Amino acid sequence: MATSTPPLKDKLDIVIPTIRNLDFLEMWRPFLQPYHLIIVQDGDPSKTIRVPEGYHYDLYNRNDINRILGPRASCISFKDSACRCFGYMVSKKKYIFTIDDDCFVASDPSGKPINALDQHIKNLLCPSTPLFFNTLYDPFREGADFVRGYPFSLREGVPTAVSHGLWLNIPDYDAPTQLVKPRERNTRYVDAVMTIPKGTLFPMCGMNLGFDRDLIGPAMYFGLMGDGQPIGRYDDMWAGWCIKVICDHLGLGVKTGLPYIWHSKASNPFVNLKKEYNGIFWQEEIIPFFQSATLSKDSTSVQKCYIELAKQVKEKLGKIDPYFAKLADAMETWIQAWDDLNPPTKLAPTAKPK
């Protein structure tokens, strides 16, 4: 009997940041083995990372990052999972799925293993509805539709740039919440996908995330975090705030909800508190900045949007701490490095600002 080709097999890369052997991929084999992996090895480049047999992958360590990017390698974080964004940059595929090495296959309420990648693909291949909220959630899912009163002029939706998945077991909490609720586990499986409305920010978690690299890739920069930086554990958050402002400007959609993965391991809340300490204070000014950020009509591509946003970061957030001027410079360096590795072979995707 002929086996069907996995969806987007030749159009999708799986990016995994790690410092350890990737034994967790054994559990994912039925779902992920057909796809190409990009492994970004953090920490000591002399350490050998073991990948289960049968997987097709490219592995990059810090020496490779320095060799490929040269002086621009300074924009890639070290000793932090933010290094994963290097994988986004070197990929040549249209779609990316990124997952952490402590994320296992979850089961739905019936006990059936969840193919997280398949759900991300479904989310990305159907439109989003950021301009008007549908009370039955994603109208493009099987068994759902637009409800009475939903404007027909908006039912076509917009292209989906990002699919943000969730986690069972260990929730993605900040350090203070971890300390207050050390035993709390997420056991609620909510069978829903929804579009995050235009003008609304969200806390993006990078451990179970899919996106259309052609539509939003250049904005998926996870910032300067970890070694030598005054902040950590805000890498995915930073990227999420940036991509949401840009998606809203370019008329693109962001979905959240399904799929779930099983987050197996809680990180140390005391270590996390040290990493997050500055961010907990700074976010009270960072979030209003992004909530009020506007981009000009001249910013018709993701790159132009991102450079304009970087200049605003330097001007407005630079007053909080010198780190933000350094981060803004790194954002511009990131775009230069992205364009070097991804020269336009055709016109870059542009959209009319909304």
Side-chain angles (χ1 to χ4, degrees):
M1 190 174 78
T3 56
S4 59
T5 304
L8 303 181
K9 178 181 179 295
D10 299 318
K11 295 183 178 180
L12 183 143
D13 276 332
I14 299 170
V15 175
I16 304 169
T18 194
I19 57 170
R20 58 181 65 87
N21 292 335
L22 296 181
D23 300 331
F24 89 111
L25 285 172
E26 288 292 357
M27 177 183 270
W28 284 101
R29 193 181 289 278
F31 306 133
L32 304 189
Q33 186 176 336
Y35 296 87
H36 176 251
L37 311 181
I38 296 178
I39 300 162
V40 184
Q41 179 179 343
D42 197 16
D44 181 3
S46 67
K47 183 179 176 183
T48 300
I49 300 289
R50 194 186 75 81
V51 182
E53 228 176 285
Y55 278 95
H56 172 48
Y57 66 93
D58 290 310
L59 187 148
Y60 300 90
N61 60 32
R62 194 69 205 187
N63 294 339
D64 299 313
I65 294 171
N66 292 338
R67 173 178 54 79
I68 292 166
L69 296 186
R72 289 177 177 157
S74 62
C75 73
I76 304 297
S77 299
F78 185 55
K79 294 187 178 176
D80 193 281
S81 65
C83 68
R84 80 176 78 221
C85 62
F86 176 77
Y88 310 159
M89 183 187 281
V90 295
S91 171
K92 300 302 175 193
K93 305 287 177 62
K94 178 171 169 57
Y95 298 98
I96 297 287
F97 169 49
T98 185
I99 186 172
D100 283 5
D101 60 17
D102 62 350
C103 293
F104 299 163
V105 177
S107 298
D108 68 17
S110 73
K112 182 183 175 185
I114 297 166
N115 184 347
L117 176 54
D118 187 62
Q119 181 64 49
H120 278 300
I121 290 171
K122 286 176 181 172
N123 293 348
L124 290 167
L125 292 184
C126 65
S128 294
T129 52
L131 302 178
F132 200 90
F133 189 78
N134 191 53
T135 50
L136 266 186
Y137 309 119
D138 189 343
F140 297 99
R141 284 190 73 198
E142 191 176 339
D145 211 323
F146 293 98
V147 297
R148 182 170 56 89
Y150 201 101
F152 284 88
S153 58
L154 297 177
R155 293 191 181 194
E156 188 179 335
V158 304
T160 301
V162 179
S163 170
H164 178 255
L166 298 174
W167 351 267
L168 292 170
N169 195 35
I170 307 290
D172 187 28
Y173 284 164
D174 53 35
T177 309
Q178 280 184 296
L179 288 165
V180 173
K181 298 179 170 181
R183 293 182 180 84
E184 186 154 292
R185 299 294 181 264
N186 182 34
T187 58
R188 291 184 307 150
Y189 179 95
V190 181
D191 186 13
V193 178
M194 63 186 78
T195 297
I196 300 172
K198 182 178 181 179
T200 300
L201 296 175
F202 75 111
M204 188 173 86
C205 172
M207 74 172 90
N208 173 23
L209 183 71
F211 63 92
D212 186 321
R213 189 174 170 277
D214 287 355
L215 286 181
I216 200 63
M220 273 290 180
Y221 175 47
F222 276 41
L224 282 179
M225 303 281 154
D227 198 45
Q229 307 303 336
I231 186 174
R233 283 174 55 82
Y234 274 85
D235 51 332
D236 42 9
M237 301 290 159
W238 182 263
W241 297 327
C242 291
I243 64 100
K244 190 57 170 64
V245 168
I246 292 171
C247 283
D248 286 353
H249 177 73
L250 294 178
L252 302 171
V254 178
K255 292 185 177 183
T256 188
L258 301 180
Y260 283 93
I261 51 84
W262 180 269
H263 187 205
S264 67
K265 189 178 66 182
S267 46
N268 186 311
F270 296 100
V271 173
N272 290 348
L273 187 59
K274 281 185 179 179
K275 293 178 180 179
E276 294 173 6
Y277 183 79
N278 283 324
I280 289 168
F281 290 97
W282 290 346
Q283 71 183 12
E284 300 305 319
E285 295 181 69
I286 295 171
I287 291 170
F289 160 76
F290 280 107
Q291 285 173 326
S292 61
T294 56
L295 299 169
S296 67
K297 288 185 177 178
D298 293 334
S299 290
T300 53
S301 70
V302 176
Q303 281 93 328
K304 287 178 181 176
C305 289
Y306 203 72
I307 293 295
E308 185 177 354
L309 198 54
K311 294 184 188 311
Q312 293 180 27
V313 167
K314 180 174 277 191
E315 178 193 345
K316 296 180 179 176
L317 295 183
K319 298 168 187 172
I320 300 175
D321 191 274
Y323 164 76
F324 289 98
K326 187 178 175 185
L327 175 56
D329 289 340
M331 291 168 72
E332 296 200 25
T333 301
W334 160 265
I335 292 295
Q336 293 162 5
W338 182 283
D339 286 344
D340 279 353
L341 290 184
N342 300 278
T345 50
K346 55 183 180 180
L347 285 175
T350 60
K352 187 178 179 183
K354 301 295 179 185

